[in-house]
């Protein structure tokens, strides 16, 4: 008779099997006795030692007889399983368990770890990872599960320490292979479960830093330190503190990884994202003269070491050249700040920049992902200080309005330098003061020579001296004069000097401060025609920032051709900068003053409104040409000014490119309309931007424009002559905000917005927006598990869209109904809905609807186990989605990964899903991340990685619980239950399966036994 194969499993619930069949070893003390003997292998355990291990405190009378009874019972069980009598051997000193070599899983685990350590020592890191994965796969749950005895807890804790050591070694080896991105989510889960484990925290920091997420790595350090201080009253160990300093300094972490695993770091590693070293400085001026001593003093101050950031504050009148000085100085000291230069124009002389927005830009430049940037200004400031600590970065804050604006932007350590320019003193900021005044005559002449040419200046030295004197030696005025001469090479210098004489004999630049800037700019205007001067003044009505070439047409109510000529005239005298048309800050202030002084309030109002009407007309036309919307933008209010068709067609030759180039003006024009008390116009323009904001994930701009317009409508109240128009605009804004909150996974708020939009649409008898709002509600009700309400909403939307001929709305509603049918197991009905929708998408082509229909049909084919057709359908859906954008393609590719898993290709599926995680993470798409983790769990389970599958499934469960999506939660719990069954955790599996069943029952979905094979995962995106 062949020898029996004995398997004793201690790494999880205690199990004994013979030739693969489990042996019923019993419970209670008999089970504990076997566990104790098995744990000690072939070691003889005395009766007294067994008594101490099995009983706590005073043992019962006759305890020796009880042990003999347990031993006899175990021998009978083993004999019945075909094992020899001497498996438990009686020895004069006690009892011992005779086991063949390799029959205990703890021995097999130890062998795998030892082999891995040997491979690491030889530099075979990938092989070491495989051995460690094999060893860790032997674990089925907490060691010695089901054994209730005094020895068990301590023994299980020791074994758990060995498991954690092996896990950390495997993670370290993966880091040595450059698999940083793959480890982040696993390590986050482990650190959450073990918040005081510095080793896990250190590895997570290395993984994050290796993917360029420096701020996130520093946040892990702060969280771990906080937990250690709060729980244990201690600071982190030297290794973690040293690692934080390395991350802050942008250094390499390879030595830590090498220390952890003893591996030879592979010479060819996957490329990792470098820690960003931003350089946001504008270009240095071609002509910078004078200020030599002040440049030296300021540079010396910025090179000083100390606990506080070395700081230079430059103050002076407008036009004194503070910005030019700051940029020039920053270029001089760049080498002293090798980790980069951050630059921000704070626009303190007019509309001060929001410190929170500036911080967001700094954090992005420092490598913080947009989705990780907090909303609160103080939190952004703290995160920026952490990211800058111990890094050599120069922070340049140009044109600050005061201490309130700059305090949040200042770094906190002496490793960084700060350079601030301001028109007024900022006493609250300590540092070196540099007062900039007028140029000395030699420096002013040198500046002029650099602009017009040294030979030209040498030929008319006296005229040159007269010009710079008339400019008051103010850098801005000298620069404007030089630009005029450079643009007119046929002019003599004396001609300009004669033209300036009368004006500047009345100026006392040093005494009047800003008057010098005003006079200097006015100097450029004096020789221009009246129409050009009017054009300059109207540019003062524009919001801050660059503007397109067509804006003068609506501002002046003129043709596009004349507008172009006027703009060219202003460019010639450098009142408008030609590189992305814009006004210098000080010039813009003067233009606004000119507008107020020379244009009546009514004319200013009409000029601004013509611009907003032109923006609205262009935005509506671009949106229509791009066919972006689920529902047409309302035609109300009517546009009262628009560019001629030819000019409009030229501007919108590339609608998407136009939106991208002029979007900032369009968004600011919403606030311009509010400023001029036109809330309906503001709301109409905001609504016209929503579709572009959606496809480009401009969620902040979407929210800002819509909430600004809605607030203005509420304040104004309905106008008697435009009450219906007010409601139409409000209805569109509410519907759009419902869509925005849906995308951002704020489902309850989204329901409120859609319901408000629906109420107005019903009141106005607006069928299109009734259908749009009902479809939005149908989607939300389905996600929230309110199926009856979802079906009613989608059905009503379908009827409305069919009656009105709204193809996109009809397709969306039918797809929603189909998804509900599929989720509830009615596949034939789901297919009929989708086939009917598909017919509407083909002629003419409706790509978005076609993509969704193909995706839904592929999901149904998967549910029917038609794997090959499903792969073909979902591949076509992925290709169609790629034409719409990354997110649409990712929705389909996530389903394609499900099909690859079902086709026995889990490795291919995991590769696809890795890309899905990246896209959804970048876009902040929480629901998509949940779906992807669900699919990863299935793929890992199919690949035999039950432990990895559990990590992924629990990640999905956390997302579903946070979003409140019951169907998706139930589906992932079903997968998690299967994982727990395969990991020999029957109690957990049963509890998880019961929870899933209860949720499904509450949703009115048939039990799994009825249609489990029809399910492929959570509902379709």
């Amino acid at each position: 008779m062949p020898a029996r194969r004995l398997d004793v499993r201690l790494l999880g619930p205690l199990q004994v099997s013979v030739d693969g069949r489990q042996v019923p070893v019993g419970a209670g003390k008999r089970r504990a006795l076997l566990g104790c003997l098995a744990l000690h292998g072939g070691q003889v355990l005395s009766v007294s030692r067994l008594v101490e291990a099995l009983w706590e405190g005073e043992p019962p009378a006759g305890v020796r007889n009880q042990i003999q009874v347990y031993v006899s019972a175990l021998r009978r069980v083993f004999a019945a399983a075909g094992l020899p009598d001497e498996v438990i051997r009686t020895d004069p000193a006690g009892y011992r368990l005779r086991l063949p070599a390799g029959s205990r899983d703890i021995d097999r685990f130890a062998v795998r770890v030892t082999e891995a350590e040997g491979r690491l020592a030889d530099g075979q890191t990938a092989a070491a990872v495989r051995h460690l994965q094999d060893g860790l796969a032997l674990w089925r749950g907490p060691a010695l599960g089901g054994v209730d005895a005094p020895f068990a807890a301590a023994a299980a804790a020791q074994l758990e320490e060995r498991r954690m050591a092996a896990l950390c070694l495997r993670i370290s080896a993966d880091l040595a292979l450059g698999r940083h991105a793959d480890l982040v989510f696993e390590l986050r889960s482990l650190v959450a479960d073990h918040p005081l484990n510095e080793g896990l925290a250190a590895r997570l920091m290395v993984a994050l830093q290796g993917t360029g997420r420096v701020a996130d790595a520093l946040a892990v350090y702060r969280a771990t330190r906080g937990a250690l201080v709060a729980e244990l009253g201690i600071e982190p160990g030297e290794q973690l503190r040293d690692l934080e300093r390395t991350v802050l300094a942008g250094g390499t972490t390879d030595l830590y990884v090498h220390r952890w695993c003893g591996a030879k770091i592979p010479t060819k590693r996957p490329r990792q994202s470098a820690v960003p070293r931003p350089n946001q400085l504008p270009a240095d001026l071609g002509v910078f003269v004078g200020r030599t001593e002040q440049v030296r003093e300021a540079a010396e101050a910025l090179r000083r070491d100390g606990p506080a950031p070395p700081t230079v504050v430059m103050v002076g009148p407008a036009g004194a050249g503070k910005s030019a000085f700051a940029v020039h100085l920053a270029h001089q000291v760049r080498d002293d700040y090798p980790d980069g230069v951050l630059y921000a124009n704070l626009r303190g002389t007019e509309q001060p920049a929001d410190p929170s927005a500036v911080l967001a830009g700094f954090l992005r430049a420092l490598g913080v992902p947009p989705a990780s940037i907090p909303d609160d200004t103080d939190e952004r400031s703290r995160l920026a200080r952490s990211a800058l600590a111990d890094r050599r970065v120069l922070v340049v804050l140009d044109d600050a309005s005061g201490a309130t604006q700059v305090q949040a932007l200042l770094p906190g350590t002496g490793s960084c330098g700060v350079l601030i320019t301001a028109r007024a003193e900022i006493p609250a900021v300590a540092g070196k003061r540099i007062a900039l005044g007028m140029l000395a005559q030699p420096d002013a002449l040198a500046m002029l020579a650099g602009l017009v040419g040294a030979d030209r200046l040498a030929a008319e030295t006296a005229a040159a001296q007269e010009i710079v004197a008339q400019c008051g030696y103010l850098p801005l005025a000298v620069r404007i004069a030089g630009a005029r001469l450079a643009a007119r090479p046929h002019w003599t210098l004396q001609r300009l000097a004669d033209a300036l004489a009368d004006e500047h004999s009345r100026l006392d630049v040093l005494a009047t401060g800003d008057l010098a800037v005003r006079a200097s700019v006015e100097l450029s205007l004096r020789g221009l025609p009246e129409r050009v001067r009017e054009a300059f003044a109207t540019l003062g009505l524009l919001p801050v920032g660059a503007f397109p070439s067509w804006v003068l047409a609506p501002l002046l109510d003129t043709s596009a051709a004349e507008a172009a000529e006027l703009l060219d005239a202003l460019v010639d005298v450098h009142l408008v900068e030609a590189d992305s048309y814009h006004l210098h800050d000080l010039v813009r202030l003067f233009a606004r003053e000119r507008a107020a002084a020379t244009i009546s309030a009514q004319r200013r109002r009409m000029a601004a409104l013509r611009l907003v009407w032109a923006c609205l007309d262009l935005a509506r036309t671009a949106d229509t040409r791009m066919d972006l919307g689920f529902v047409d933008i309302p035609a109300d209010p009517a546009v009262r000014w628009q560019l001629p068709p030819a000019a409009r067609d030229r501007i919108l030759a590339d609608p998407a490119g136009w939106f991208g180039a002029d979007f900032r003006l369009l968004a600011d024009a919403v606030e311009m309309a509010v400023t001029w008390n036109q809330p309906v116009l503001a709301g109409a323009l905001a609504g016209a931007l929503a579709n572009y904001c959606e496809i480009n994930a401009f969620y902040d701009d979407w929210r800002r424009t819509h909430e600004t317009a809605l607030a203005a409508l509420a304040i104004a109240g309905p106008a008697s002559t435009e009450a219906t128009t007010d409601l139409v605009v409000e209805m569109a804004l509410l519907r759009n905000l419902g869509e925005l909150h849906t995308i951002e996974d704020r489902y309850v708020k989204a329901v409120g917005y859609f319901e408000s939009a629906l109420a107005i649409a019903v009141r106005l008898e607006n069928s299109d927006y009734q259908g749009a709002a009902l479809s939005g509600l149908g989607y939300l009700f389905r996600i929230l598990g309110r199926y009856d309400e979802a079906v009613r909403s989608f059905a009503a939307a379908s009827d409305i869209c069919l009656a009105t001929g709204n193809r996109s709305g009809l397709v969306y509603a039918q797809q929603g109904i189909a998804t509900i049918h599929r989720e509830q197991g009615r596949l034939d009905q789901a297919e009929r809905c989708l086939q009917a929708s598909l017919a509407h998408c083909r002629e003419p082509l409706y790509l978005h609807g076609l993509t969704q229909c193909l995706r839904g049909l592929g999901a149904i084919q998967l549910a029917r186990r038609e794997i090959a057709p499903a792969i073909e359908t979902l591949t076509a859906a992925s290709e169609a989605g790629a034409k719409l954008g990354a997110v649409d393609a990712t929705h389909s590719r996530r389903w394609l990964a499900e099909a690859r898993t079902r086709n026995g290709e889990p490795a291919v599926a995991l590769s696809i899903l890795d890309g899905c995680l990246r896209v959804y993470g970048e876009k902040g798409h929480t629901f998509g991340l949940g779906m992807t983790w669900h699919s990863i769990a299935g793929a890992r389970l199919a690949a035999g990685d039950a432990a990895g599958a559990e990590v992924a499934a629990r990640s999905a469960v956390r997302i579903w619980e946070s979003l409140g999506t019951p169907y998706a939660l139930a589906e992932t719990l079903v997968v998690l239950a299967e994982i727990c069954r395969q990991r020999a955790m029957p109690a957990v599996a049963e509890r998880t399966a019961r929870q899933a069943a209860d949720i499904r029952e509450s949703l009115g979905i048939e039990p799994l036994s009825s249609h489990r094979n029809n399910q492929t995962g959570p509902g379709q995106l």
Side-chain angles (χ1 to χ4, degrees):
M1 182 177 179
R4 301 283 188 177
R5 183 171 61 84
L6 180 61
D7 186 11
V8 180
R9 306 179 73 183
L10 302 169
L11 303 180
L14 175 63
Q15 290 181 357
V16 177
S17 61
V18 177
D19 292 340
R21 300 185 63 179
Q22 192 165 328
V23 175
V25 297
K29 297 301 182 187
R30 188 170 83 185
R31 184 181 186 86
L33 174 64
L34 176 60
C36 188
L37 291 171
L39 183 67
H40 291 85
Q43 183 179 351
V44 176
L45 299 182
S46 66
V47 172
S48 60
R49 186 172 176 183
L50 288 171
V51 169
E52 182 180 353
L54 270 58
W55 279 273
E56 191 167 6
E58 188 67 25
V63 68
R64 288 180 175 272
N65 291 333
Q66 288 189 39
I67 289 178
Q68 291 174 357
V69 170
Y70 298 148
V71 169
S72 298
L74 289 170
R75 284 171 173 166
R76 287 195 299 272
V77 169
F78 291 150
L83 293 174
D85 294 338
E86 294 300 310
V87 172
I88 301 180
R89 182 169 182 174
T90 303
D91 199 270
Y95 298 96
R96 68 187 178 98
L97 195 64
R98 297 182 61 191
L99 298 174
S103 58
R104 293 192 309 169
D105 57 357
I106 57 175
D107 295 326
R108 297 194 295 275
F109 172 71
V111 168
R112 299 291 192 281
V113 173
T114 301
E115 289 173 343
E117 290 171 343
R119 296 293 182 129
L120 285 172
D122 294 337
Q124 301 177 44
T125 310
V129 169
R130 290 193 293 273
H131 283 301
L132 289 166
Q133 288 173 333
D134 291 344
L136 290 166
L138 295 170
W139 285 76
R140 298 163 293 113
L144 294 170
V147 176
D148 183 13
F151 82 92
Q158 292 175 359
L159 289 171
E160 176 63 16
E161 288 181 3
R162 291 168 61 184
R163 185 187 76 85
M164 286 299 297
L167 179 60
C168 287
L169 188 60
R170 195 225 80 210
I171 291 170
S172 301
D174 275 332
L175 288 171
L177 292 171
R179 298 169 179 169
H180 298 70
D182 297 337
L183 293 169
V184 169
F185 289 100
E186 178 186 4
L187 280 166
R188 281 202 183 280
S189 180
L190 288 168
V191 170
D193 292 338
H194 305 278
L196 303 180
N197 190 313
E198 295 187 45
L200 289 173
R203 286 160 177 82
L204 177 55
M205 289 176 66
V206 170
L208 289 167
Q209 192 255 16
T211 56
R213 298 165 62 180
V214 175
D216 289 349
L218 296 173
V220 171
Y221 174 82
R222 293 196 304 274
T224 304
R225 179 185 178 277
L228 289 168
V229 172
E231 296 293 327
L232 305 178
I234 61 173
E235 291 288 336
E238 182 178 351
Q239 174 184 260
L240 200 62
R241 295 198 307 272
D242 184 61
L243 178 58
E244 184 215 18
R245 289 190 292 269
T246 300
V247 172
L248 286 168
T252 178
T253 57
D254 286 351
L255 291 178
Y256 296 91
V257 176
H258 183 75
R259 187 186 310 153
W260 290 333
C261 65
K264 297 176 182 177
I265 305 300
T267 56
K268 293 184 179 180
R269 304 179 61 194
R271 184 170 181 163
Q272 301 176 17
S273 300
V275 176
R277 291 176 171 80
N279 181 18
Q280 299 180 328
L281 269 182
D284 202 355
L285 289 177
V287 179
F288 184 88
V289 297
R291 320 268 197 208
T292 305
E293 185 60 21
Q294 290 173 310
V295 170
R296 186 193 64 77
E297 291 177 3
E300 182 178 302
L302 289 173
R303 290 174 175 135
R304 290 196 186 110
D305 293 328
T311 301
V312 172
V313 180
M314 290 179 293
V315 294
K322 299 182 295 297
S323 296
F325 184 100
V327 169
H328 179 72
L329 173 61
H331 278 283
Q332 299 303 303
V333 299
R334 267 184 58 198
D335 291 344
D336 296 283
Y337 293 90
D339 294 326
V341 182
L342 297 173
Y343 174 89
N345 181 357
L346 301 182
R347 304 193 305 271
T349 55
E350 42 184 322
Q351 186 178 4
D354 181 4
S356 185
V358 175
L359 284 167
F362 282 179
L363 290 168
R364 286 192 294 270
L366 291 168
V368 179
S372 300
I373 296 175
D375 292 331
D376 182 71
T377 302
D378 289 339
E379 291 181 9
R380 289 182 177 185
S381 180
R382 287 193 291 271
L383 182 57
R385 287 196 295 272
S386 296
L388 289 170
D390 295 330
R391 295 178 69 181
R392 295 286 293 173
V393 174
L394 179 63
V395 180
V396 182
L397 305 175
D398 193 14
D399 195 16
S401 62
T404 302
Q405 188 184 39
V406 302
Q407 289 290 4
L409 308 176
L410 300 178
T413 62
S415 62
C416 294
V418 180
L419 183 53
I420 301 173
T421 72
R423 292 179 64 181
E425 177 59 75
I426 308 178
V429 177
K432 172 74 176 177
R433 262 48 186 181
I434 300 289
L436 292 184
M438 302 305 106
L439 291 170
Q441 186 196 57
D443 295 334
L445 288 170
M447 176 183 286
L448 190 61
L451 294 166
V452 305
D455 292 342
R456 195 174 172 190
L457 189 82
E460 296 184 80
T461 303
Q465 292 174 341
E466 190 176 346
I467 287 171
V468 295
Q470 291 165 343
C471 289
Y473 305 110
L474 184 71
L476 177 59
V478 174
R479 188 167 300 279
I480 291 172
R484 287 173 60 87
L485 290 169
R488 295 166 175 80
H490 57 283
W491 277 23
T492 63
L493 271 64
Q494 189 60 54
R495 178 175 175 178
L496 178 60
D498 293 341
L500 297 175
D502 290 344
E503 292 289 336
H504 283 278
S505 63
R506 300 188 303 268
L507 291 178
D508 184 355
V509 176
L510 293 174
T512 57
D514 285 352
L515 183 59
V517 177
R518 188 177 299 111
S520 296
V521 178
E522 199 165 21
L523 171 66
S524 296
L525 289 174
R526 289 291 184 181
L528 299 177
E530 176 62 30
R531 189 64 167 163
V532 179
R533 295 201 299 271
E534 182 184 2
F536 173 75
T538 58
L539 289 178
L541 301 176
L542 292 177
V544 174
F547 54 84
S549 60
W550 55 265
V551 296
L552 275 175
L555 285 174
L556 293 172
D557 194 14
T558 188
S559 67
E562 187 192 11
E565 291 176 3
L566 294 171
L567 189 59
D568 285 343
L570 292 170
V571 170
D572 285 344
V573 293
H574 297 277
L575 288 173
V576 172
E577 300 297 329
D579 52 333
S580 68
Y581 294 117
H582 68 280
L583 300 175
H584 182 279
D585 288 344
L586 300 175
V587 174
R588 181 183 297 106
L589 285 176
F590 181 70
R592 289 181 180 175
E593 292 181 4
R594 292 282 298 181
T598 62
I599 306 174
S600 69
Q602 179 61 18
R603 288 177 57 212
R604 292 199 304 273
R605 178 177 183 275
M606 291 309 300
L609 295 184
R610 284 193 300 269
L611 175 61
V612 181
W613 283 327
C615 289
L616 175 59
D617 178 63
L618 289 168
R620 282 176 174 173
T621 305
D623 181 89
T624 300
R625 293 182 181 181
M626 293 176 69
D627 193 19
L628 299 176
F630 175 78
V631 63
D632 289 340
I633 297 172
D636 290 333
V639 170
R640 300 181 186 178
W641 197 97
Q642 58 188 183
L643 289 162
R648 182 172 57 186
D649 289 343
R650 184 176 63 255
I651 291 169
L652 297 182
D654 174 13
W658 173 80
F659 255 130
D662 289 359
F663 181 81
R664 185 50 49 205
L665 172 67
L666 299 173
D668 289 341
V670 173
E671 295 189 10
M672 179 184 288
V674 171
T675 300
W676 290 102
N677 196 27
Q678 292 293 307
V680 174
L681 181 56
L685 179 55
L689 305 180
N691 290 324
Y692 185 79
C693 287
E694 179 175 356
I695 66 171
N696 289 280
F698 289 175
Y699 301 141
D700 287 344
D701 292 302
W702 187 350
R703 183 182 302 103
R704 177 174 64 86
T705 56
H706 279 57
E707 291 180 350
T708 296
L710 269 180
L713 283 169
I715 293 171
S720 58
T721 59
E722 298 186 23
T724 299
T725 301
D726 290 7
L727 287 174
V728 168
V729 171
E730 183 180 0
M731 170 187 68
L733 293 173
L734 290 169
R735 182 263 164 196
N736 294 342
L737 283 172
E739 188 72 18
L740 172 62
H741 284 285
T742 300
I743 291 171
E744 294 189 317
D745 305 308
R746 300 185 181 98
Y747 302 139
V748 176
K749 278 191 174 183
V751 168
Y753 279 115
F754 278 128
E755 288 178 338
S756 298
L758 178 60
I760 296 176
V762 170
R763 175 179 171 185
L764 296 176
E765 299 181 353
N766 187 310
S767 298
D768 283 343
Y769 272 81
Q770 287 181 50
L774 284 166
S775 289
L777 288 170
Y779 175 85
L780 291 165
F781 289 150
R782 179 180 70 79
I783 290 293
L784 295 170
R786 295 156 63 176
Y787 282 119
D788 291 342
E789 295 171 88
V791 170
R792 286 196 297 272
S793 297
F794 277 134
S798 179
D799 291 342
I800 291 171
C801 294
L802 184 62
T804 60
N806 183 345
R807 180 176 66 152
S808 60
L810 175 63
V811 169
Y812 184 87
Q814 286 295 310
Q815 288 168 348
I817 294 171
T819 302
I820 294 171
H821 285 321
R822 180 176 58 77
E823 290 181 354
Q824 294 188 321
R826 299 184 293 274
L827 299 185
D828 291 343
Q829 291 171 265
E831 183 180 15
R832 284 196 294 273
C833 284
L834 288 175
Q835 290 292 357
S837 295
L838 196 59
H840 291 288
C841 297
R842 296 202 184 276
E843 293 295 339
L845 178 63
Y846 174 36
L847 189 58
H848 195 276
L850 176 68
T851 303
Q852 290 183 317
C853 286
L854 290 174
R855 191 158 64 235
L857 288 170
I860 291 171
Q861 289 167 334
L862 269 184
R864 289 173 172 161
R865 298 191 176 184
E866 299 168 355
I867 307 302
I871 290 176
E872 182 178 353
T873 302
L874 292 168
T875 299
S878 299
E879 292 170 353
K883 299 176 183 177
L884 295 168
V887 174
D888 279 279
T890 302
H891 293 340
S892 298
R893 287 179 61 77
R894 205 276 311 171
W895 276 104
L896 181 59
E898 287 276 355
R900 292 297 184 184
T901 297
R902 296 282 292 275
N903 199 43
E905 302 173 272
V908 175
L910 288 169
S911 177
I912 295 172
L913 292 167
D914 181 62
C916 295
L917 279 182
R918 183 174 61 257
V919 172
Y920 287 138
E922 290 173 353
K923 300 298 182 182
H925 201 304
T926 306
F927 193 91
L929 286 172
M931 298 281 285
T932 305
W933 281 119
H934 171 93
S935 297
I936 289 174
R940 286 180 177 173
L941 188 62
D945 180 12
E950 182 179 358
V951 171
R954 294 195 183 280
S955 296
V957 166
R958 282 193 291 271
I959 290 175
W960 303 141
E961 289 175 341
S962 69
L963 295 181
T965 52
Y967 173 79
L969 175 61
E971 288 299 288
T972 302
L973 288 174
V974 169
V975 176
L976 183 57
E978 178 60 27
I979 293 169
C980 292
R981 277 190 284 271
Q982 292 198 23
R983 298 198 71 194
M985 296 185 284
V988 177
E990 178 60 28
R991 185 168 63 251
T992 305
R994 182 69 259 163
Q995 184 183 357
D998 290 344
I999 295 173
R1000 297 175 67 85
E1001 183 178 358
S1002 71
L1003 297 175
I1005 300 177
E1006 296 176 12
L1008 288 176
S1009 58
S1010 300
H1011 75 296
R1012 178 60 208 154
N1013 289 338
N1014 290 343
Q1015 299 303 302
T1016 59
Q1020 180 181 353
L1021 278 171

